[in-house]
Amino acid sequence: MAEVDGNYVLAKALKDQGVEYVFGIVGYPVIELGMTCQQVGLHYIGMRNEQAAAYAAQAIGYLTGMPGVCLTVSGPGVLHTLGGMANAQSNCWPMLVVGGAVSQDHEAIGGFQECPQVEVARPYCKYSARPPTVQLIPTHVEKALRLCRFGRPGAAYLDLPGNILQCKVLESSVLQRTATGGAPTPKCFPDESKIAEAINLLRNAKRPLVIVGKGAAYAGAENELRQFITKTNLPFLPTPMGKGVVPDDDPHCIAPARTLALQKADVILLLGARLNWMLHFGRPPRFDADVKIIQVDLSPEEFHNSIETAVPILADLKPASVSLLRAANFSVANNTDWWTQLRGKCESNRKSVLAMSRDDAPPLNYYAVFTNLQACLPPNCIIVSEGANTMDIGRTILSNQLPKHRLDAGTFGTMGVGLGFAIAAGLYCRHKAAGKKVICVEGDSAFGFSGMEIETIYRYKLPIVVVVVNNSGIYGGVDEDLYADIRGEGDPTQTLPVNVLSTYTRYNELMRMFGDRGSHLVKTIPELKAAVKEALAVTDGPSIINVIINPTADRKPQTFSWLTESKL
């Protein structure tokens, strides 16, 4: 009878359940596991940091619907993934972390990298367990992957001690599981009486609004929602990663009038989004005190979370969207006061942005950079973005026409996700959407979290264009002269402002590690256009476009601060 070890049983179980991608860093006790993953046909991507590997694993889970795996060594390796697991849980993206662990006979006596990993991971995932034997590994793999995907998606953790991975057993003794971990997820269909109630409320509203979140993108509900918006003539507002479910250039999109729309709407249909900080909790002063919320969610715990939900619809977004489209029996007139207000505000804000974008004198501002970058981008590229103003302002100008084509800091507001997300997007384009481009737009501070993943991008020949919008600081920096003066005055730990980074850092010079190609330092709009054109022509590796902007560049004046605090 053939013998197999735990490495083979685990790798084969992942493959049998439908996993395609493993991101990680190998070392004791998972080196052989990484090799075995390749031997059974999984794509293994070696990263430079476990946290970035966790970000890549969850992004591929969001893009494909099948969790990516983050493979890590014991102790600190597993601990480094906790930020990634928390981000996946907050974003509701499926991923599985597989952590090596100290051999069981070394536990409790100070084993190498000994850590209570199952307990440590548990608050940040849906399922955390250690298979007790080699024979039971497939059982735990199936359950972990199923729980990642079923219901509200999220993270799972499996703990594999070195002695379990190395242990050999008869292959016939392994308890195999059917591929339910990768099976189609069961759908929750809406109560049609609630659908009718929602349609009636929308039809009689004076100032109706639809908010489309990334949950609608993940559900694949774009076709039904586009038809629903067109049929009803309702204005809609996308959340950052809800962009593209209905195209940004659709005439019903009132994103430029976001503040007005949220503040004045009397009935809001919430699709795949939550009333958390990103939507200011649904409370005044950002929302009308008497607003009625129609909320579609597959998690009943989400209803009434911050304010009362007027019409809670427990359902998956896809079947709920089908029902809403079928039941829709009205169309909002174009000449209503509500549409007139929204269109007027959209036009006013577009004119303000256009005026700022026309100011292209160096040092550049955000609006000039993003407007001209948008004009250079190929259609339907995947845009990854993180940073403060870089992400927020970029979202308003860099458009999306398709769902799941914008990946950013998300619900958890996590910085450092950019290059991990971009690597996942690059692999997705290579294997699932040939010819599609990935543009990773980073603030200089955000880029610093995971900048060495540039080497990972190069190693795996991913044609990712990284645009660093460099304002020499966190939110903003100081110019070269002032920086030199402050830095020369004394101990920089006492004199340099806490938000300041080194001025005009040449991040593009990282490309010199691989030769002379792909390094672009940009200070003017003509230089930006030339750099983007050249970078998009590269098909086998990254490019870095380091765009120097005014350290004091800011966004246009806002009616409210970016995070309006709730006051009791």
Side-chain angles (χ1 to χ4, degrees):
M1 299 292 290
E3 283 190 327
V4 292
D5 65 9
N7 293 305
Y8 174 79
V9 173
L10 176 56
K12 187 174 185 298
L14 293 171
K15 177 72 172 177
D16 290 346
Q17 292 296 330
V19 168
E20 295 182 77
Y21 299 95
V22 178
F23 305 85
I25 300 176
V26 297
Y28 178 81
V30 298
I31 295 175
E32 291 81 4
L33 177 56
M35 296 176 180
T36 309
C37 285
Q38 288 182 315
Q39 291 168 6
V40 301
L42 297 172
H43 297 287
Y44 177 81
I45 301 93
M47 305 285 285
R48 300 301 296 257
N49 181 280
E50 291 92 352
Q51 201 164 356
Y55 296 143
Q58 63 195 260
I60 204 72
Y62 175 65
L63 291 169
T64 68
M66 191 64 205
V69 171
C70 174
L71 175 63
T72 178
V73 301
S74 52
V78 171
L79 295 178
H80 287 171
T81 69
L82 295 183
M85 280 194 275
N87 192 71
Q89 282 291 93
S90 184
N91 265 352
C92 306
W93 287 3
M95 68 169 295
L96 171 63
V97 175
V98 173
V102 61
S103 292
Q104 290 165 300
D105 56 331
H106 289 179
E107 289 182 332
I109 57 173
F112 175 66
Q113 295 183 334
E114 182 178 354
C115 178
Q117 294 163 188
V118 174
E119 291 78 13
V120 166
R122 186 166 285 123
Y124 307 104
C125 59
K126 296 179 68 177
Y127 180 68
S128 182
R130 170 186 287 183
T133 66
V134 174
Q135 288 89 342
L136 287 172
I137 286 175
T139 297
H140 286 273
V141 168
E142 183 278 334
K143 183 171 184 178
L145 291 172
R146 174 163 42 85
L147 293 186
C148 282
R149 299 174 59 245
F150 283 27
R152 173 172 284 179
Y157 175 73
L158 290 180
D159 201 56
L160 277 301
N163 62 299
I164 295 290
L165 291 173
Q166 296 155 13
C167 179
K168 292 186 177 181
V169 300
L170 292 176
E171 188 170 10
S172 60
S173 71
V174 177
L175 299 177
Q176 302 295 340
R177 289 298 304 265
T178 56
T180 46
T185 57
K187 301 300 181 189
C188 177
F189 284 75
D191 180 339
E192 293 298 333
S193 67
K194 291 293 184 184
I195 294 291
E197 188 177 345
I199 292 297
N200 185 59
L201 198 56
L202 286 167
R203 183 178 56 244
N204 293 309
K206 293 182 179 179
R207 299 178 301 279
L209 177 68
V210 178
I211 298 178
V212 180
K214 67 177 177 289
Y218 186 76
E222 60 270 15
N223 290 335
E224 291 77 14
L225 290 182
R226 291 177 183 192
Q227 293 178 61
F228 176 76
I229 292 295
T230 299
K231 183 177 182 180
T232 59
N233 200 38
L234 286 166
F236 81 91
L237 178 70
T239 66
M241 282 191 278
K243 283 162 60 71
V245 173
V246 183
D248 284 345
D249 62 3
D250 187 286
H252 300 90
C253 180
I254 47 84
R258 182 180 191 271
T259 296
L260 173 67
L262 295 181
Q263 198 171 29
K264 299 297 184 181
D266 61 350
V267 174
I268 295 177
L269 172 60
L270 198 61
L271 299 170
R274 291 165 281 175
L275 289 179
N276 53 22
W277 69 273
M278 296 185 76
L279 287 174
H280 317 287
F281 316 106
R283 299 176 182 176
R286 299 303 297 266
F287 285 72
D288 188 289
D290 297 319
V291 66
K292 292 180 172 59
I293 302 293
I294 304 163
Q295 186 169 2
V296 180
D297 206 289
L298 52 75
S299 175
E301 295 88 348
E302 199 59 44
F303 300 134
H304 319 297
N305 185 49
S306 176
I307 62 172
E308 181 182 356
T309 306
V311 183
I313 301 175
L314 181 63
D316 283 83
L317 255 294
K318 178 80 169 182
S321 300
V322 171
S323 292
L324 285 167
L325 175 60
R326 183 172 54 239
N329 56 5
F330 70 94
S331 178
V332 177
N334 278 316
N335 60 354
T336 61
D337 289 343
W338 181 228
W339 261 122
T340 300
Q341 290 179 57
L342 291 172
R343 290 192 178 107
K345 190 63 175 178
C346 284
E347 184 60 26
S348 173
N349 282 339
R350 287 191 184 104
K351 287 179 178 178
S352 297
V353 169
L354 181 61
M356 288 183 285
S357 69
R358 286 174 173 167
D359 178 10
D360 58 4
L364 298 170
N365 67 66
Y366 287 104
Y367 296 90
V369 170
F370 289 133
T371 299
N372 286 279
L373 177 60
Q374 171 66 38
C376 296
L377 294 183
N380 298 327
C381 56
I382 295 179
I383 298 172
V384 180
S385 186
E386 62 172 331
N389 287 338
T390 294
M391 181 175 65
D392 292 339
I393 300 172
R395 178 181 69 245
T396 66
I397 299 175
L398 302 177
S399 66
N400 296 100
Q401 311 307 314
L402 296 174
K404 297 195 287 189
H405 277 55
R406 177 181 168 87
L407 310 176
D408 68 20
T411 309
F412 209 41
T414 307
M415 292 296 107
V417 298
L419 294 189
F421 283 4
I423 288 167
L427 292 165
Y428 174 82
C429 291
R430 173 178 290 173
H431 297 137
K432 314 288 185 181
K436 192 178 290 291
K437 293 291 185 179
V438 178
I439 312 297
C440 184
V441 185
E442 303 262 300
D444 51 331
S445 172
F447 178 76
F449 280 82
S450 56
M452 277 308 298
E453 297 300 340
I454 281 291
E455 188 275 327
T456 307
I457 297 171
Y458 175 81
R459 195 177 348 130
Y460 292 103
K461 301 180 179 180
L462 299 174
I464 296 169
V465 179
V466 179
V467 180
V468 180
V469 183
N470 186 352
N471 70 352
S472 303
I474 303 170
Y475 300 107
V478 296
D479 65 29
E480 286 182 300
D481 292 338
L482 181 56
Y483 176 79
D485 290 344
I486 297 174
R487 194 164 176 264
E489 286 177 355
D491 184 348
T493 65
Q494 293 290 309
T495 61
L496 281 177
V498 296
N499 62 303
V500 165
L501 303 173
S502 298
T503 56
Y504 305 150
T505 303
R506 307 306 198 262
Y507 298 105
N508 54 294
E509 292 296 320
L510 285 173
M511 292 303 301
R512 302 296 182 189
M513 296 187 293
F514 319 117
D516 294 329
R517 187 186 66 177
S519 172
H520 306 274
L521 179 64
V522 166
K523 295 183 179 180
T524 68
I525 293 303
E527 289 174 347
L528 174 64
K529 293 178 178 179
V532 173
K533 182 178 180 180
E534 184 176 333
L536 289 172
V538 176
T539 59
D540 62 349
S543 298
I544 299 179
I545 302 174
N546 184 22
V547 186
I548 305 299
I549 70 168
N550 190 333
T552 61
D554 203 356
R555 61 189 308 175
K556 71 181 182 66
Q558 303 294 297
T559 305
F560 295 99
S561 62
W562 69 275
L563 177 58
T564 303
E565 296 180 4
S566 58
K567 303 294 185 182
L568 297 178

